[in-house]
Amino acid sequence: MADKQFDLVVIGGGPGGYAAAIRAAQLKMSVMLIDDRQSDEGTPAPGGTCLNVGCVPSKALLDSSKHFHHIQHEYKDHGIRVKDVEMDIEQMLNRKQGVVKQLNSGLIQLFKANKITFANGKGRLLADRQVEVTTDEGTQTVAGEHVILAAGSVPFTIPGVDIDNTHIVDNEGALALSETPKKLGVIGAGVIGLELGSVWRRLGAEVTLFEAADAFLPVVDDDMSRVAAREFKKQGLDIRLGTKVSGAKVSRSKVKVAYSDGDKDHEATFDRLLVAVGRRAASENLLADDSGVALTDRGQVDVNDQCQTSAPQVWAIGDLVRGPMLAHKASEEGIAVAETIAGHHGHFNLDTVPWVIYTDPEIAWVGQTEQALKAAGIDYRSGSFPFAATGRGLAMGDAAGHVKLLADAETDRLLGAQIIGPQASELIGECVVTMEFAGSSEDLARIVHAHPTLSEAVHEAALAVDGRAIHKAN
Ligand code: FAD
Ligand code: NAD
């Protein structure tokens, strides 16, 4: 018999779980949210991977390190000379933690304001939507009319590479290094490897990225990955494609890495090694044997399009299930599930989830790539436009990259957008809106864009689909 009954019990307080809990509370449900994460001081730290050791702290360090890099390398061009630039990593890390803490306590306020019962502990789903909740105060069992599983993900590890978060680190350790390593090795030139590799490169580390795949960033449009590879090379990121790491050992404060380039085995020595080889669903210890929830062979909770699991009225969202591992994807799924439970029409479209890699230049995309359209045999027209041909990009002194749009050859419906360049993370928004409303490249081309702005590159790329860009020869 459960100690308490709720309309909804949510396990996991990341961007998926907390958004679902807040939306359900707005819809007048009684909600319990269980999240196990604590700060170093032992206080509750809701917000999941994203807020505590992911999106937010990485962007704080990306911004700080970008300032440091710009003041040394870009300001001169603007006629600003700065002498004696010093790095204060302790302050950088304190600022980052300050941002995280502010958002942690903001969430706790929001839980109170929405009358959500928040438990800082572990949740485990039992049979019949009963949930065992273990906190510092003990264990209780609660029951939910509905349960949402939102336990997120944890980093993959490689056999023979033991993460100690001192010398061999994952994302958590890489966001807390107390000094710049002279030599940083990174396993995986994916999203985390590139973002965190960029942070430490800008702060002065020699950064080598080992990437098992032969192609660089194969998920993005080929044109975009070519520009990215060129820009990262200029910045001094040493990206070694086709190299697979098989082991790493710590000895006398150094890390020896064993890797193969397909032909030969090699060894390299670093001061620190970041392991960034993907993440897996955090489904371990989440489900009792008789919970009725099925997992896929990859350990994800198996769900249908509405995020329903195999157990009635048990739902699962975010990194725990199929689809991209992104915070906004998790949140939108959570909101859609809460609305569906309340009898509304929960809307969520996996086809229009934007991606952003927050490097310099930023890389953002939504929908299809040109290579995917070719492979699918879909007839398309494309238009691209370089930031170097925009007044704003040149005025800012930040004009590497381009916008590329892909539209259906017959209907002109926008099928994909790829943006590499300044503020790509913000510019992708209007492409997402256009695609969500089934808009065409002509729709984008007919919208007035302010001058001088970077968004004019999106406008010109839309015009270029029809061969009528104004500021470039078509
Ligand atoms: P999570 O955020 O992982 O939250 C799940 C929470 O549940 C965690 O706090 C976990 O401790 C808790 N939990 C797990 N099991 C239990 C249990 N049994 N009981 C109670 N609590 C439990 N995405 C972006 O969109 N943009 C970015 O810029 C971005 N940057 C990233 C940078 C890094 C370094 C990393 C690692 C990830 C980044 N991501 C980014 C991905 C993003 O963090 C995830 O997609 C997102 O956090 C997933 O949300 P979620 O709610 O599914 O899970
Ligand atoms: P990833 O899948 O982006 O990249 C991992 C890379 O490691 C791959 O390219 C893979 O080929 C390579 N790899 C695997 N094993 C290897 C080996 N033994 N040797 C060399 N290379 C190897 O994964 P990630 O960078 O760990 O990030 C995990 C997820 O977190 C991302 O997929 C993304 O969903 C999320 N994330 C998002 C953002 C963002 O939105 N800006 C930022 C960081 C993380």
Side-chain angles (χ1 to χ4, degrees):
M1 184 65 188
D3 299 319
K4 277 188 198 136
Q5 172 85 32
F6 293 88
D7 294 333
L8 174 66
V9 177
V10 183
I11 305 179
Y18 81 68
I22 291 174
R23 185 67 189 121
Q26 287 171 347
L27 292 165
K28 308 286 179 245
M29 287 182 233
S30 61
V31 182
M32 180 179 215
L33 174 64
I34 308 156
D35 184 75
D36 60 1
R37 202 174 281 269
Q38 294 193 336
S39 69
D40 290 345
E41 296 88 43
T43 53
T49 304
C50 177
L51 169 44
N52 291 284
V53 289
C55 330
V56 173
S58 62
K59 268 78 246 176
L61 289 188
L62 276 158
D63 277 325
S64 297
S65 61
K66 192 168 171 177
H67 285 304
F68 183 67
H69 179 84
H70 277 198
I71 211 163
Q72 289 177 304
H73 303 284
E74 314 281 335
Y75 278 24
K76 251 186 288 171
D77 199 38
H78 287 269
I80 304 167
R81 292 210 185 93
V82 185
K83 279 190 192 153
D84 304 328
V85 180
E86 278 178 47
M87 189 179 357
D88 180 350
I89 289 198
E90 197 182 341
Q91 166 57 17
M92 247 180 230
L93 297 182
N94 285 342
R95 190 192 85 91
K96 173 206 68 163
Q97 267 330 98
V99 174
V100 170
K101 271 192 187 158
Q102 190 178 339
L103 292 167
N104 288 145
S105 54
L107 280 178
I108 288 171
Q109 295 301 322
L110 282 174
F111 300 157
K112 281 189 190 136
N114 284 285
K115 301 191 173 49
I116 292 167
T117 304
F118 175 64
N120 190 208
K122 277 244 174 262
R124 195 167 74 103
L125 182 69
L126 312 176
D128 303 324
R129 299 184 306 281
Q130 307 255 326
V131 177
E132 179 190 84
V133 187
T134 307
T135 63
D136 292 345
E137 279 88 53
T139 299
Q140 58 167 325
T141 304
V142 299
E145 186 60 23
H146 291 263
V147 174
I148 298 180
L149 304 170
S153 64
V154 291
F156 266 125
T157 47
I158 305 180
V161 183
D162 297 331
I163 290 166
D164 58 17
N165 264 334
T166 306
H167 292 93
I168 303 181
V169 299
D170 58 16
N171 55 297
E172 201 165 335
L175 288 164
L177 297 178
S178 56
E179 57 186 54
T180 303
K182 190 165 175 318
K183 289 186 174 195
L184 174 68
V186 180
I187 316 180
V191 195
I192 294 180
L194 290 170
E195 288 188 0
L196 296 183
S198 293
V199 165
W200 293 105
R201 174 71 200 130
R202 292 170 193 169
L203 297 178
E206 285 170 36
V207 179
T208 306
L209 296 103
F210 298 101
E211 171 52 57
D214 292 324
F216 178 57
L217 279 180
V219 289
V220 312
D221 200 86
D222 285 347
D223 285 348
M224 197 149 82
S225 79
R226 259 193 301 277
V227 175
R230 183 190 72 206
E231 292 300 316
F232 296 152
K233 192 171 178 192
K234 271 197 230 159
Q235 292 162 18
L237 288 176
D238 179 5
I239 300 170
R240 301 190 187 172
L241 299 177
T243 55
K244 194 162 182 192
V245 172
S246 54
K249 288 273 163 296
V250 179
S251 155
R252 294 186 197 163
S253 279
K254 300 273 181 199
V255 189
K256 280 209 163 82
V257 174
Y259 70 96
S260 153
D261 61 9
D263 295 330
K264 272 194 195 155
D265 292 338
H266 301 269
E267 225 178 51
T269 304
F270 298 96
D271 299 294
R272 295 288 182 272
L273 177 70
L274 163 61
V275 183
V277 292
R279 296 177 66 83
R280 63 181 171 81
S283 54
E284 274 161 23
N285 306 320
L286 177 66
L287 308 167
D289 291 343
D290 57 356
S291 71
V293 171
L295 299 181
T296 66
D297 50 10
R298 297 175 62 195
Q300 296 169 324
V301 171
D302 201 9
V303 289
N304 64 11
D305 287 353
Q306 276 76 47
C307 294
Q308 283 169 314
T309 71
S310 51
Q313 287 160 233
V314 178
W315 311 72
I317 58 172
D319 282 11
L320 192 61
V321 305
R322 63 14 195 170
M325 289 186 166
L326 296 172
H328 41 285
K329 178 263 191 184
S331 300
E332 292 306 320
E333 278 181 337
I335 291 166
V337 168
E339 293 183 347
T340 304
I341 291 173
H344 296 259
H345 176 70
H347 169 81
F348 177 66
N349 183 0
L350 263 179
D351 294 335
T352 52
V353 176
W355 274 84
V356 179
I357 307 179
Y358 294 82
T359 43
D360 191 6
E362 290 186 344
I363 300 171
W365 70 100
V366 58
Q368 306 279 344
T369 60
E370 189 160 0
Q371 61 265 28
L373 290 176
K374 276 188 185 149
I378 296 170
D379 267 354
Y380 63 90
R381 293 192 303 164
S382 78
S384 64
F385 194 81
F387 286 103
T390 65
R392 188 65 192 273
L394 291 176
M396 287 165 63
D398 194 359
H402 63 260
V403 177
K404 177 168 160 184
L405 301 178
L406 298 156
D408 187 280
E410 201 182 327
T411 65
D412 193 38
R413 184 172 172 165
L414 193 64
L415 300 175
Q418 282 82 36
I419 306 179
I420 179 164
Q423 295 178 29
S425 53
E426 303 293 340
L427 296 174
I428 198 71
E430 75 167 307
C431 303
V432 177
V433 172
T434 307
M435 284 183 62
E436 190 61 44
F437 286 98
S440 62
S441 79
E442 188 177 352
D443 289 328
L444 267 179
R446 284 184 184 276
I447 292 170
V448 183
H449 288 71
H451 176 74
T453 60
L454 296 168
S455 71
E456 286 174 298
V458 178
H459 187 219
E460 291 269 20
L463 289 164
V465 171
D466 197 33
R468 56 190 177 104
I470 301 294
H471 293 93
K472 87 167 196 182
N474 290 288

